[in-house]
Amino acid sequence: MRVALAHAFASRDGATPAVVVPATPANPSTSASASASDDSLATPRIALALSGGLDSMVLLDALAHWTQSRRDAGESVAQPLAIHIHHGLSEHADEWLAACEREARLRGFAFEARRVTVPRDARQGIEGAARAARYTALAERCAAHGIDWLLTAHHANDQAETVLLQMLRGAGLPGVAAMAGAGALPVTSSAQLLRPLLDVSRETMHAFASVRSLSWVEDPSNQDRQYLRNALRHDVMPAIAAHVPAYRETLARFARHAAQAQSLLDQLARIDFEAARVDTSRLQRSRLQGLDTARLANLLRYWAAREGLAAPPEARLDEWVRQIRDAQPDASLTLPHGDAVLRLYRDVLQWTPVYTAAAAAADADAAADDVALHWSGERLWSLPQWQGSVVFEPVIDVGADAQSAIAGIAEAALRAQPLIARERAGGERWRERADGHSRSLKHWYQNKGVPAWQRHVPIVWQAADIVFVPRLGIDGAALCVDGPRWRMTWRDEA
């Protein structure tokens, strides 16, 4: 479809171009979400992000012609959906919504509008906040309608501007690789993002719109040069075009080369990640010691992206590399980054939520109140003040051999007295087995390798006796191996 729609602009007479239908992406939800009609099941469900500007109105018109041409050829094509996001940032926003709905319905599209709230004091700036809110809303509507492909009207000029903008920001290869013709949305979504006009210039689109007598809205903010992209568009690009007429093609080729180079770096990072990983999300620091500075930085950058985190600034990344390489074998590290913390403990690196750092340093005066539970068979005891829950699971005996019996706490004991979840006060003691010695929680945490940031958990009591300690287990004095009994475990819910 991308190639087919782009070919629409090679002809200015409005003739319907020959097109190619995109392959259906893997999307098991499509058949459940789509209409039961034959049309909706025959081809992928398509949606268009419709702002009302020149670019999206041109794509709307071209997509309408593509849809009609397929139907004229006897193919069954699902009704496309136009989605308009109302940001509420302009006094003309209501007029734009009305224009989008009118033009979409005139062409036989289904239409839906969604209003979003854009914080004006967002850390990423108002443009970044609007973009984040827009894609989140688009992804939600795609999921609601079982959409396979979401089309946007980004074009060749947008691509060139993005490359230069990212270079000026020092964004590195992922940034200067700019926009792919097809790929994932920048937020979690089963729909795929398609940019069918990425090789078409704005000038060609304007000529096409004139031939087709299209109408569109003009956003006054696009003339505001306080935004760097607008300054590039109005002041820099015309000067470049005067000396390098093929600048769009040149920058697009540069972006493709950057994307290829980044792909190779990601492949190398995956090799290093697999060589160092302890489990699905933790790495052995000692296995990274053989990597040189650049290769370790590449791995850490890849790992942050894998965790869904923003790319770390160069200075921060350099500091991570230095501390990880120079740390002693028994060292602990705490390296904050956005909403997460990269931690080193007992030679293992892992990402944790920020809340654990704050909780571990919580003031004693802010200790959580006791919480009581009169247990009567509950499977889950939610304790949000400790960002987790106690999970109860019945023990099922699988054999008559007492030696292989699984220990748990007797059901009768659980019902006998209320369970009390209480903040640690210091001095508590726990035993692993009924015949073992009780020792301080600090001893057991160290013995079991529980890092300090995971120790902000409640202690579960019955009267004056400890019954359960998260990350350690049921106290040995409460364990039994016969009769109805239950396991107790802790589940983090940060």
Side-chain angles (χ1 to χ4, degrees):
M1 177 185 287
R2 180 186 171 206
V3 173
L5 289 177
H7 285 171
F9 304 95
S11 173
R12 307 275 177 88
D13 61 3
T16 302
V19 296
V20 179
V21 177
T24 304
N27 185 0
S29 68
T30 301
S31 59
S33 303
S35 164
S37 69
D38 291 340
D39 280 357
S40 65
L41 297 177
T43 56
R45 292 298 310 274
I46 295 171
L48 164 67
L50 186 64
S51 69
L54 167 68
D55 311 339
S56 66
M57 286 300 195
V58 164
L59 183 54
L60 174 75
D61 189 71
L63 184 56
H65 276 269
W66 174 84
T67 302
Q68 189 59 48
S69 70
R70 305 327 301 158
R71 289 174 176 166
D72 290 345
E75 297 182 18
S76 183
V77 181
Q79 181 187 34
L81 170 68
I83 307 174
H84 176 77
I85 305 303
H86 186 299
H87 298 88
L89 297 175
S90 171
E91 60 182 344
H92 305 293
D94 291 340
E95 300 170 22
W96 298 343
L97 188 157
C100 286
E101 181 171 13
R102 180 185 67 249
E103 296 298 322
R105 295 198 186 280
L106 279 173
R107 291 168 174 79
F109 280 61
F111 180 81
E112 184 164 344
R114 277 293 177 268
R115 296 175 183 265
V116 297
T117 300
V118 180
R120 295 178 180 271
D121 57 349
R123 183 176 58 184
Q124 70 268 47
I126 195 167
E127 284 184 301
R131 179 179 183 274
R134 178 167 62 253
Y135 273 110
T136 297
L138 288 169
E140 290 174 351
R141 301 329 302 156
C142 285
H145 291 276
I147 296 298
D148 299 305
W149 291 98
L150 173 66
L151 277 61
T152 64
H154 294 106
H155 47 74
N157 296 60
D158 291 329
Q159 182 78 313
E161 292 164 7
T162 299
V163 172
L164 284 182
L165 195 63
Q166 297 290 7
M167 291 176 68
L168 292 172
R169 290 172 175 169
L173 286 177
V176 297
M179 297 179 286
L185 270 70
V187 296
T188 302
S189 175
S190 59
Q192 292 290 299
L193 183 62
L194 184 65
R195 300 182 177 98
L197 307 182
L198 206 53
D199 296 326
V200 180
S201 71
R202 181 183 289 114
E203 293 75 17
T204 300
M205 296 177 73
H206 197 284
F208 179 87
S210 297
V211 170
R212 296 286 300 159
S213 299
L214 302 182
S215 61
W216 60 89
V217 302
E218 295 285 357
D219 185 350
S221 69
N222 288 336
Q223 304 299 319
D224 189 346
R225 285 170 168 78
Q226 71 170 321
Y227 299 117
L228 182 55
R229 181 179 287 274
N230 288 343
L232 286 175
R233 179 178 302 162
H234 298 298
D235 299 332
V236 177
M237 292 306 193
I240 293 177
H243 298 279
V244 188
Y247 76 95
R248 285 181 292 262
E249 293 79 3
T250 300
L251 290 175
R253 184 169 61 252
F254 173 78
R256 289 193 297 272
H257 291 167
Q260 292 170 1
Q262 185 58 51
S263 176
L264 292 174
L265 288 175
D266 287 344
Q267 292 177 41
L268 178 62
R270 282 193 288 272
I271 292 172
D272 293 337
F273 186 90
E274 289 300 317
R277 73 186 184 97
V278 177
D279 51 34
T280 57
S281 60
R282 299 186 301 161
L283 301 183
Q284 196 85 38
R285 188 202 64 116
S286 55
R287 298 177 190 171
L288 304 177
Q289 293 299 89
L291 302 182
D292 62 26
T293 298
R295 191 162 170 176
L296 179 55
N298 180 58
L299 171 58
L300 293 173
R301 192 183 296 112
Y302 165 83
W303 193 14
R306 178 187 171 109
E307 295 292 319
L309 303 171
E314 183 179 17
R316 182 177 300 170
L317 187 62
D318 289 345
E319 181 62 17
W320 291 356
V321 170
R322 185 191 67 77
Q323 292 203 42
I324 291 171
R325 288 174 63 87
D326 295 347
Q328 296 299 312
D330 59 348
S332 296
L333 294 177
T334 300
L335 305 171
H337 178 55
D339 295 329
V341 181
L342 180 59
R343 300 182 187 276
L344 172 65
Y345 180 73
R346 293 194 175 183
D347 200 40
V348 172
L349 285 162
Q350 62 182 303
W351 288 101
T352 72
V354 165
Y355 88 88
T356 53
D363 189 274
D365 293 338
D369 294 333
D370 292 358
V371 179
L373 172 68
H374 294 268
W375 190 83
S376 57
E378 288 85 352
R379 297 298 185 97
L380 189 71
W381 183 13
S382 181
L383 297 168
Q385 55 272 71
W386 288 284
Q387 290 84 34
S389 295
V390 177
V391 179
F392 300 88
E393 296 178 283
V395 174
I396 300 175
D397 291 318
V398 295
D401 184 2
Q403 295 284 24
S404 62
I406 300 173
I409 182 171
E411 182 172 316
L414 281 174
R415 295 179 183 275
Q417 299 182 74
L419 300 175
I420 307 296
R422 180 175 298 151
E423 192 88 36
R424 285 179 60 192
E428 297 92 346
R429 300 176 71 84
W430 181 86
R431 71 184 68 195
E432 190 168 26
R433 302 185 309 275
D435 60 351
H437 295 291
S438 68
R439 297 181 182 274
S440 69
L441 294 188
K442 180 179 180 181
H443 165 86
W444 285 114
Y445 282 142
Q446 291 176 341
N447 180 267
K448 300 293 185 181
V450 179
W453 67 86
Q454 292 186 349
R455 300 177 189 178
H456 183 73
V457 289
I459 309 301
V460 178
W461 298 74
Q462 277 188 323
D465 298 321
I466 289 179
V467 172
F468 172 72
V469 178
R471 310 197 199 284
L472 296 181
I474 298 171
D475 187 273
L479 289 172
C480 66
V481 294
D482 56 1
R485 57 198 186 279
W486 292 70
R487 284 191 293 265
M488 296 174 67
T489 56
W490 177 256
R491 186 173 74 190
D492 287 307
E493 296 173 350

